[in-house]
Amino acid sequence: MRRWTPSGSTAANVEITSASVQRGDVIQIGGQPCRVADILQLPGFAKQLRFESGELLTMHSRTRLVALRMSGRW
């Protein structure tokens, strides 16, 4: 399992919803940074996020989270 480590890319904290989440966004869960590896569309505008570590998180249409969004390559 590969852990996320910061690189020389610039990063910004952004508020994300199920409509704006992107692959590569880093969300802190349980004190651990988790990078979104894949996104699956669910009914009712919800999305299921799969992280590089294998965990899954369902974002409903009203879910709001803060993520670290990297610009450039990750």
Side-chain angles (χ1 to χ4, degrees), residues 13-30:
N13 285 325
V14 294
E15 183 178 272
I16 60 170
T17 64
S18 64
S20 64
V21 66
Q22 298 176 6
R23 286 184 184 94
D25 284 349
V26 178
I27 302 169
Q28 188 166 335
I29 299 176

Side-chain angles (χ1 to χ4, degrees), residues 15-73:
E15 183 178 272
I16 60 170
T17 64
S18 64
S20 64
V21 66
Q22 298 176 6
R23 286 184 184 94
D25 284 349
V26 178
I27 302 169
Q28 188 166 335
I29 299 176
Q32 297 296 319
C34 300
R35 186 166 37 192
V36 177
D38 198 17
I39 303 171
L40 177 66
Q41 181 69 51
L42 300 175
F45 301 103
K47 291 189 179 168
Q48 185 175 59
L49 310 180
R50 185 180 60 81
F51 298 106
E52 287 182 344
S53 58
E55 286 100 350
L56 298 174
L57 175 73
T58 300
M59 288 186 73
H60 297 279
S61 60
R62 295 183 184 175
T63 302
R64 295 190 182 281
L65 299 171
V66 174
L68 185 64
R69 184 162 288 163
M70 306 299 285
S71 64
R73 297 190 62 104

